[in-house]
């Protein structure tokens, strides 16, 4: 018998959650990571100047705090502490106060003017039942009868709409811009089906649990997961790029937090030609262009609510956001770009030397785009925060190539590890009931290229590990992990 029961490749939130789930079942688990540091898209580094703790990738965690997988783990005991900014999101719009998202609904409804009550009627039923909604969503679509079918059906009617159609139910241009900005996270045209559902999930998450940042940065999530994994006896090896199963220790199961491209390479002939060809047709989406800033002061937003929000979206109108997304789909850089920005220092001053700030912003660009979006991004920030450029002490700029060089899962700079289009709107990487399994009964995929897709929530890892436990190790119902999950999500 091999000394190692299961091997996990990749230490992103999904790889670590998979490793923990396997180790909780009493298995001997080893994890291999290509980078020198662990965490994939959940890391914190001094990218610019000493004392400035930047998140190179994820910073804000509406899906993390609401994740059934994370809530079933003792992450607080391993140092994870969520910090809630006053406001989850502010979306500045010209000529009037910013539209905001808060926990609860009061500030949001007040900021939406004539749309406040209609918005609340749409979102409150889902915010109130966030745990049930998360349990229904954060799973594979074809994996048996869904839990909470009535809730899911009620969500599906507005949620299945393109955001362009859902936003049209509202009168105020600010409401429409805010909802379009939420949907733009998936970098798809506003006419894409189900982008209404994307906006509704982000909004409901804000009202239910907030959009928190982890104290100290996203690395704290990784360190808590890794700390618990090690406590369970797990071993982590860094600086090891895996190119083939043959390079790994003999084991009964291999669970891979990698892109479909790397799955084909690593699995090789074991996966069979047909499956490899289907993965070869998996489509990757547009890219991000990301800048991390060290600032001498907080961002000088004109709108006071923007100074209290953890996240600020910059896209003053639906046409402007729509044009930015359309340009990217047609292979052109956006002008002006739609920006997602994050300012964790508003709630965590420990992230920068006294009085100073860390701030990140990213825009969307075509996959593999070699240009520099810095000037256009900063022009856009200056529209809503004049004087911003004067506060920049240092910046770390990463376009698509640099993002991919730092993490192989971001092919061409696609931070979602797969496009939000066609069958991939629902099914990743291919439409099968158990997308975590492959034709080789020992090999499983657990990255964001599987349901429920991108974000720091660990659910892809949890599902993949459960599949491996059931199929390879005969642990029915994934043993105690299922019991813990049930306890965490309340039935
Ligand atoms: C700029 C940016 C901003 C983001 N903002 C947010 C946010 O605010 N909130 C949020 O929830 N999400 C955000 N995301 C998305 C989020 O980071 C990802 O969806 C999430 O990290 C995916 O987790 P994962 O475990 O599937 O993969 P990853 O986190 O990408 O980890 C994969 C790991 O596997 C390793 N690996 C891959 N192939 C191999 C191999 N062959 N051998 C060895 N190791 C390998 C990689 O090095 C990497 O460490 C952001 C991403 C980016 C890039």
């Amino acid at each position: 018998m091999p000394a190692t029961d299961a091997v996990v490749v990749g230490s992103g939130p999904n790889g670590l959650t998979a490793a923990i789930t396997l180790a909780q079942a009493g298995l001997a688990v080893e994890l291999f990571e290509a980078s020198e540091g662990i965490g994939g898209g959940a890391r914190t580094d001094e990218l610019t100047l000493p004392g400035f703790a930047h998140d190179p990738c994820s910073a804000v965690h509406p899906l993390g705090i609401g994740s059934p997988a994370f809530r079933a783990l003792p992450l607080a005991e391993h140092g994870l502490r969520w910090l809630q900014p006053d406001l989850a999101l502010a979306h500045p719009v010209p000529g009037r106060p910013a539209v905001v998202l808060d926990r609860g609904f009061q500030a949001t409804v007040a900021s939406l003017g004539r749309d406040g009550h209609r918005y609340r009627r749409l979102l409150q039923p889902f915010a109130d039942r966030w745990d049930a909604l998360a349990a229904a969503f954060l799973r594979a679509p074809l994996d048996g009868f869904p839990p909470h079918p009535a809730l899911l059906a009620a969500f599906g009617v507005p949620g299945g709409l393109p955001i362009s159609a859902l936003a049209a139910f509202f009168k105020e241009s600010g409401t429409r811009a805010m909802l379009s900005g939420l949907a733009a996270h998936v970098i798809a045209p506003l006419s894409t089906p189900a982008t209404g559902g994307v906006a509704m999930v982000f909004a409901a998450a804000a009202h239910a649990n907030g959009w928190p940042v982890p104290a100290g940065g996203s690395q704290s999530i990784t360190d808590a997961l890794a700390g618990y994994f090690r406590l369970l006896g797990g071993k982590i090896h860094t600086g090891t790029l895996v190119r083939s199963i043959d390079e790994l220790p003999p084991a009964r199961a291999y669970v891979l937090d990698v892109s479909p491209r790397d799955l084909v390479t690593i699995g090789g002939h074991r996966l069979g030609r047909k499956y490899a060809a289907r993965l070869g047709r998996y489509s990757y989406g547009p890219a991000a262009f990301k800048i991390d800033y060290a600032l001498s002061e907080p961002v000088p937003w004109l709108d006071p609510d923007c100074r209290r929000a953890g996240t600020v979206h910059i896209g003053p109108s639906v046409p402007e956001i729509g044009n930015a997304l359309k340009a990217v789909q047609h292979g052109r850089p956006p002008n002006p770009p739609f920006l997602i920005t994050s300012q964790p220092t508003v709630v965590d001053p420990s992230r920068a030397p006294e009085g100073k700030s860390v701030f990140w912003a990213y825009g969307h660009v075509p996959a593999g785009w070699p240009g520099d979006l810095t000037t256009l991004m900063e022009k856009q920030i200056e529209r809503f925060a004049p004087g911003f450029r004067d506060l920049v002490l240092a910046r770390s700029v990463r376009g698509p190539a640099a993002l991919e060089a730092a993490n192989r899962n971001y092919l061409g700079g696609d931070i979602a590890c797969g496009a939000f289009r066609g069958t991939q709107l629902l099914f990743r990487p291919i439409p099968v009931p158990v997308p975590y399994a492959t034709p080789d009964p020992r090999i499983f995929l657990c990255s964001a290229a599987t349901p429920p897709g991108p974000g720091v929530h660990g659910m892809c890892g949890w599902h993949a590990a459960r599949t491996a436990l059931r199929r390879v190790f005969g642990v029915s119902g994934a043993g105690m992990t299922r019991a813990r999950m049930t306890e965490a999500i309340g039935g």
Side-chain angles (χ1 to χ4, degrees):
M1 292 294 285
T4 301
D5 296 310
V7 166
V8 174
V9 176
S11 67
N14 285 315
L16 284 167
T17 304
I20 287 170
T21 308
L22 294 162
Q24 279 180 322
L27 303 179
V29 185
E30 290 191 58
L31 184 150
F32 292 83
E33 164 58 49
S35 300
E36 293 303 330
I38 57 168
R43 299 186 56 173
T44 304
D45 282 321
E46 279 188 351
L47 295 173
T48 56
L49 300 171
F52 288 84
H54 301 277
D55 292 325
C57 303
S58 66
V60 184
H61 296 283
L63 302 176
I65 193 172
S67 157
F70 285 178
R71 280 157 72 170
L73 301 176
L75 300 184
E77 285 166 34
H78 291 268
L80 178 61
R81 197 159 53 88
W82 297 114
L83 301 176
Q84 296 279 4
D86 278 359
L87 296 169
L89 171 78
H91 191 127
V93 274
R96 49 155 293 167
V99 172
V100 301
L101 291 183
D102 66 339
R103 288 179 83 185
F105 277 89
Q106 220 175 342
T108 302
V109 167
S111 78
L112 292 177
R114 289 174 297 165
D115 290 329
H117 293 297
R118 174 168 283 193
Y119 172 89
R120 190 175 189 142
R121 269 205 311 277
L122 175 68
L123 266 304
Q124 181 132 29
F126 305 114
D128 286 350
R129 298 197 61 204
W130 169 262
D131 288 350
L133 196 67
F137 265 133
L138 297 178
R139 63 193 283 280
L142 299 177
D143 187 11
F145 196 69
H148 316 290
L151 182 69
L152 213 52
F155 184 92
V157 176
L161 293 174
I163 190 63
S164 50
L166 184 65
F169 283 98
F170 295 94
K171 297 189 178 97
E172 306 274 2
S173 58
T175 314
R176 295 199 289 258
M178 184 274 286
L179 290 170
S180 303
L182 293 176
H185 276 251
V186 293
I187 328 182
L190 300 178
S191 55
T192 309
T195 42
V198 173
M200 288 170 63
V201 165
F202 278 120
H207 299 304
N209 293 315
W211 287 13
V213 299
S218 292
Q219 189 74 45
S220 311
I221 301 175
T222 295
D223 290 348
L225 289 166
Y228 182 50
F229 175 54
R230 289 189 175 107
L231 189 74
L232 294 169
K235 292 189 188 131
I236 298 179
H237 310 270
T238 55
T240 314
L241 171 63
V242 176
R243 293 182 201 83
S244 165
I245 290 285
D246 300 328
E247 296 170 359
L248 294 167
R252 291 173 65 194
Y254 298 88
V255 183
L256 311 182
D257 185 9
V258 306
S259 68
R261 174 197 63 181
D262 272 24
L263 170 61
V264 170
T265 313
I266 294 171
H269 64 88
R270 297 168 188 83
L271 300 180
R273 270 202 213 139
K274 203 168 144 202
Y275 182 75
R278 292 182 82 182
L279 290 189
R281 290 194 290 276
Y282 185 75
S283 74
Y284 298 88
F289 191 100
K290 167 120 190 307
I291 310 182
D292 285 275
Y293 292 96
L295 301 178
S296 59
E297 291 172 27
V299 180
W301 300 108
L302 285 175
D303 187 290
D305 280 341
C306 292
R307 297 183 209 146
R308 301 195 295 133
T311 301
V312 179
H313 285 170
I314 306 185
S317 68
V318 173
E320 214 176 276
I321 298 170
N323 287 339
L325 292 166
K326 238 186 262 161
V328 168
Q329 295 295 329
H330 291 105
R332 297 190 312 270
N335 184 8
F338 166 70
L339 300 182
I340 296 171
T341 79
S342 156
Q343 42 186 14
T345 335
V346 297
V347 71
D348 186 0
S350 78
R351 300 284 296 272
E354 202 179 335
K356 301 190 169 46
S357 266
V358 289
F359 174 70
W360 74 222
Y362 73 84
H364 304 132
V365 294
W369 187 63
D372 187 349
L373 202 67
T374 307
T375 306
L376 288 177
M377 285 175 64
E378 292 184 0
K379 199 170 150 199
Q380 185 74 326
I381 297 169
E382 286 274 341
R383 277 171 78 185
F384 298 92
F388 168 78
R389 272 199 211 98
D390 301 335
L391 308 182
V392 177
L393 301 172
R395 47 171 84 67
S396 157
V397 178
R398 282 172 313 142
L403 288 169
E404 182 175 344
N407 184 338
R408 301 174 59 77
N409 286 17
Y410 302 150
L411 266 82
D414 171 10
I415 64 174
C417 197
F420 192 75
R421 64 172 163 253
T423 54
Q424 289 178 206
L425 290 177
L426 270 184
F427 308 111
R428 293 157 77 100
I430 57 171
V432 287
V434 187
Y436 314 97
T438 72
D440 185 312
R442 295 174 310 155
I443 301 178
F444 300 86
L445 181 63
C446 77
S447 68
T450 61
V456 174
H457 45 64
M459 291 302 292
C460 314
W462 187 77
H463 288 301
R466 257 183 72 203
T467 308
L469 284 173
R470 208 167 44 229
R471 293 190 170 195
V472 179
F473 300 96
V475 180
S476 79
M480 65 180 177
T481 51
R482 177 185 278 283
R484 282 178 195 206
M485 182 75 77
T486 307
E487 200 177 296
I489 65 178

